[in-house]
Amino acid sequence: MKAKKSKRYVTTYERNPKYRKQAIAIHGNSCAACGFNFGSFYGEYAEGFIHVHHIVPVSEFEAPKHIDPESDLIPLCANCHSVVHRKKDKTLSILEIRNLIADNST
Ligand SMILES: [Zn+2]
Ligand SMILES: [Zn+2]
């Protein structure tokens, strides 16, 4: 029960346009894990497109709280964002996904 509720909060924060705007203003719009930039790759059509990920682990979430876009939110490309959320019971940290990428790129 609790886990479901927490997940919903995370999703809400990640989709909040206000937080999204603040996060991008601080962190830029390149993926924090792999460096992918939609604008550079796809051109003007995709310029500025990026997912915003909330980095506080779901398990630490108990109630809605103030979000600090500088420390709590990070831009991730759609691929990396899907991977960090791949397992329902665990969200990868930025370091963990960077390590995955480093370990598997040749
Ligand atoms: Zn990425
Ligand atoms: Zn996320």
Side-chain angles (χ1 to χ4, degrees):
M1 286 293 274
K2 206 173 185 182
K4 266 184 188 162
K5 206 175 185 184
S6 299
K7 184 132 191 339
R8 201 184 66 220
Y9 290 141
V10 171
T11 310
T12 306
Y13 288 137
E14 292 189 341
R15 291 190 183 159
N16 185 313
K18 184 183 89 180
Y19 291 135
R20 188 191 141 76
K21 217 175 158 186
Q22 291 173 346
I24 290 169
I26 295 165
H27 301 289
N29 57 19
S30 296
C31 177
C34 73
F36 188 86
N37 183 280
F38 283 86
S40 330
F41 193 82
Y42 297 103
E44 198 187 333
Y45 188 79
E47 190 71 59
F49 181 79
I50 195 77
H51 285 196
V52 167
H53 173 61
H54 185 260
I55 56 182
V56 173
V58 170
S59 58
E60 288 177 22
F61 248 73
E62 282 179 352
K65 61 153 196 161
H66 174 72
I67 292 292
D68 179 353
E70 189 166 6
S71 56
D72 300 342
L73 300 174
I74 202 86
L76 285 181
C77 74
N79 284 348
C80 293
H81 198 207
S82 304
V83 172
V84 298
H85 286 294
R86 179 144 197 262
K87 307 273 187 203
K88 283 193 173 63
D89 55 345
K90 179 182 165 54
T91 301
L92 294 182
S93 69
I94 296 306
L95 195 65
E96 285 172 317
I97 186 158
R98 279 185 186 154
N99 286 340
L100 285 187
I101 295 167
D103 289 349
N104 289 286
S105 61
T106 45

